[in-house]
Amino acid sequence: MKRLLRLVPLLLTAVPSIALAADELSSGDTAWIITACALVLFMTIPGLSLFYAGMARAKNALSIMMQCLTITGIATILWVICVYSIAFGDGGSANAFWGGLDNLFLKNLSVDALSGSIPESVFSMFQLTFAIITPSLIIGAFAERIKFSAMLLFVTVWILLVYGPVCHWVWGGGFLGDHGVIDFAGGTVVHINAGIAGLVAAIVIGKRKGYPNTAMPPHSLVLTCVGTGMLWVGWFGFNAGSALAADGAAGMAMFTTQIATATAAITWLVIEWVLHKKPSALGAASGAIAGLVAITPACGNVGPAGAMIMGFISAIGCFLGATKIKHYFGYDDSLDAFGVHGIGGTIGAILAGVFCAPELGGLGFGGENTGIGQQLYAQIIGVVVTYAYSGILSYILLKIIDKVIGLRVSLEEETEGLDIASHGEKGYNL
């Protein structure tokens, strides 16, 4: 009996370990996704802020950074209030379309709640970073001419009515995910969603004063290149973090991301070298972003060779989108939000239906008997639905806002620059 009593303290010390095994929490997975959260947030502030600000004219650089900063705050508040519930809640009989409002203000979130092998708080924070960067991408399309108040109102309603539902459709148990759409890290949810909204906004708001006859070169390609580097590094959290575990899928997603990005950057550079006789820093930076965007939906399911091909194709497609297509149709997508994210996301989403096939070196489509034809059909459905929903809702929202408070600053304010006109400050005091 005395020997049994001596075992009691040892058994008590083992209880936490037993509990930990029962709830399947992985400290390694948790540590990685916490790191990924920081990396994805780093993509928006300061990565995207610097990338876009450098491409704008000096008199508008601060306004770009201000928009990214405030969107971060707005998206966070909305996420807590209801967007997380809309995106990842159990919508009951309507779950195919939205997650419902049962988790308002994250009332069901506890310290012990798990999502897979990580705390739900970490999962929610990781998904929040995607809700932050998606509307931030849109601002590149209407840079240098939108009212700050109009931007705030549009982004607020867009996150509620567009981002939340589309996220649920693909990742939250909605009908696109059930239909078999592959979107490992956001080609549809993030890039196509933001890209088409940006295109619609650019058309509705109209061209910048003097476009396209007045030269509007980037004021600081140094900032743009620094922002590109930050986006490139942060994207490893974006893509590899989407495995939601520190495992082989995360490792493959990181590797294919690097391969596609490097290939696209060099491809764009070579295209410019051949056509314009000089390779540009802006071209290399744009090519890198094109590769990052295109590989996003397939990164965890495609092989190295497929990633290289996707990077190559995306550079060609986005080069045409940012130069030839934009000028042919005459819309003013200021910083090529649609040209890179809309077109790159579309290319990546569709090619995921090809290069994720095991016979082409991919890791498969998910369904045991799914072939390339079936998966291509699913991918095209996902692309078309996202284009239609985001495009139509964005158009309606913009038209309503224009009627209520107006979308554009005055010509005098646009000439002066949004830094002074909207914020009473300058990006540079030289």
Side-chain angles (χ1 to χ4, degrees):
M1 178 63 69
K2 290 182 178 179
R3 289 181 179 179
L4 290 174
L5 290 174
R6 288 174 184 171
L7 291 175
V8 171
L10 294 175
L11 292 172
L12 290 175
T13 59
V15 168
S17 299
I18 294 171
L20 188 64
D23 61 21
E24 299 181 350
L25 175 70
S26 168
S27 58
D29 292 347
T30 302
W32 163 232
I33 304 305
I34 289 174
T35 303
C37 289
L39 287 169
V40 183
L41 188 59
F42 181 71
M43 289 170 63
T44 305
I45 305 173
L48 184 67
S49 301
L50 289 173
F51 179 79
Y52 273 169
M55 292 173 67
R57 288 171 287 181
K59 62 183 179 180
N60 298 304
L62 187 64
S63 72
I64 297 293
M65 303 193 79
M66 181 66 172
Q67 289 174 26
C68 288
L69 182 62
T70 51
I71 287 172
T72 302
I74 290 170
T76 301
I77 293 168
L78 293 173
W79 190 254
V80 173
I81 294 173
C82 64
V83 177
Y84 178 67
S85 182
I86 292 171
F88 293 99
D90 180 7
S93 60
N95 192 60
F97 302 101
W98 79 318
L101 299 175
D102 291 339
N103 198 13
L104 293 178
F105 292 94
L106 299 180
K107 63 182 180 181
N108 299 324
L109 182 66
S110 67
V111 173
D112 299 325
L114 292 180
S115 178
S117 61
I118 62 175
E120 188 182 3
S121 58
V122 176
F123 173 79
S124 183
M125 176 63 194
F126 181 68
Q127 295 298 338
L128 165 59
T129 61
F130 284 66
I132 289 170
I133 198 169
T134 305
S136 299
L137 296 174
I138 301 173
I139 69 173
F142 49 61
E144 304 192 318
R145 59 199 188 274
I146 194 170
K147 288 181 179 179
F148 186 66
S149 57
M151 185 280 300
L152 291 178
L153 183 56
F154 173 71
V155 165
T156 297
V157 182
W158 192 88
I159 293 172
L160 288 169
L161 298 185
V162 180
Y163 182 81
V166 173
C167 180
H168 178 77
W169 296 348
V170 179
W171 292 334
F175 71 96
L176 289 180
D178 288 344
H179 193 66
V181 172
I182 293 175
D183 191 2
F184 192 85
T188 302
V189 176
V190 176
H191 298 292
I192 295 175
N193 206 7
I196 187 60
L199 175 62
V200 171
I203 294 171
V204 171
I205 296 172
K207 304 172 186 177
R208 287 169 291 177
K209 179 183 176 182
Y211 181 89
N213 298 319
T214 301
M216 301 178 183
H219 90 277
S220 176
L221 287 175
V222 170
L223 291 184
T224 295
C225 287
V226 170
T228 301
M230 292 176 173
L231 285 165
W232 193 327
V233 172
W235 222 288
F236 292 129
F238 196 83
N239 283 1
S242 292
L244 298 176
D247 59 11
M252 182 61 78
M254 175 174 282
F255 194 29
T256 56
T257 298
Q258 176 68 18
I259 293 168
T261 306
T263 302
I266 298 303
T267 301
W268 193 306
L269 184 151
V270 170
I271 292 172
E272 281 196 333
W273 210 336
V274 171
L275 295 181
H276 306 307
K277 309 307 178 187
K278 290 184 179 180
S280 72
L282 179 59
S286 299
I289 302 303
L292 288 165
V293 170
I295 196 60
T296 293
C299 58
N301 301 80
V302 74
M308 185 173 289
I309 296 170
M310 291 180 70
F312 176 76
I313 295 174
S314 68
I316 298 172
C318 292
F319 175 83
L320 293 173
T323 56
K324 308 299 182 183
I325 295 175
K326 178 171 72 171
H327 295 307
Y328 178 80
F329 287 101
Y331 58 84
D332 184 12
D333 180 4
S334 309
L335 309 181
D336 295 319
F338 176 74
V340 172
H341 296 279
I343 292 177
T346 302
I347 290 171
I350 293 174
L351 291 184
V354 178
F355 291 106
C356 293
E359 56 266 36
L360 295 177
L363 305 181
F365 296 129
E368 293 182 6
N369 300 316
T370 303
I372 291 177
Q374 292 172 293
Q375 191 62 50
L376 264 177
Y377 177 74
Q379 297 303 109
I380 292 171
I381 290 295
V383 169
V384 171
V385 167
T386 306
Y387 263 81
Y389 184 78
S390 181
I392 293 171
L393 263 290
S394 297
Y395 178 81
I396 294 171
L397 291 176
L398 289 162
K399 283 295 187 179
I400 292 174
I401 293 169
D402 195 27
K403 292 291 185 182
V404 176
I405 63 174
L407 288 168
R408 285 191 74 129
V409 297
S410 67
L411 288 178
E412 293 76 15
E413 290 172 322
E414 187 175 341
T415 301
E416 183 181 32
L418 300 190
D419 289 3
I420 290 292
S422 297
H423 308 295
E425 301 170 298
K426 290 183 178 180
Y428 303 95
N429 290 295
L430 303 177

